[in-house]
Amino acid sequence: MLAFFMGMALIAASSNDNVARDDFAVCLKGQIAKATAAKIEAAAFAVFARSACAAQASGFRNALIAYDLKAGWTRKKAEPDADAQIGDYLADWADRYKDSLSAK
């Protein structure tokens, strides 16, 4: 019975994680057009997007940490993992931005 409730708690946390992840991804995607219009260099896109999507990144980071804590991770392990995932998203969208510039 306890396992059932623990499983349900992880599913609920995962759902919150997905909403926060989607919000962050939508914000990053929106920055492609803004960066193009502002003629942001490809090398500066990650900094530009991090600043523009700071609120969404914070929400995503908090959701990732909460999920990991519920899964039994320590905060000391969960925080750098969340930061790494956010960094991966920024790097991925920076690559997409670079590709969009070279396609023109």
Side-chain angles (χ1 to χ4, degrees):
M1 187 65 131
L2 179 61
F4 172 76
F5 289 114
M6 298 264 310
M8 294 303 289
L10 286 175
I11 289 170
S14 177
S15 176
N16 291 340
D17 181 37
N18 288 338
V19 170
R21 176 182 291 116
D22 291 347
D23 288 348
F24 186 44
V26 166
C27 183
L28 292 172
K29 182 178 181 180
Q31 298 316 305
I32 298 256
K34 291 178 182 177
T36 302
K39 300 184 191 253
I40 302 292
E41 292 185 24
F45 179 80
V47 173
F48 174 80
R50 180 181 292 273
S51 175
C53 300
Q56 293 84 354
S58 178
F60 183 37
R61 182 179 189 274
N62 291 338
L64 289 169
I65 292 169
Y67 179 83
D68 287 346
L69 292 175
K70 286 181 183 176
W73 289 30
T74 63
R75 182 167 294 277
K76 185 175 180 179
K77 184 178 176 185
E79 288 178 348
D81 181 66
D83 293 336
Q85 288 192 50
I86 290 168
D88 289 344
Y89 269 79
L90 288 165
D92 178 56
W93 283 96
D95 287 344
R96 292 179 192 206
Y97 179 64
K98 182 179 173 183
D99 292 345
S100 76
L101 293 178
S102 62
K104 292 182 180 184

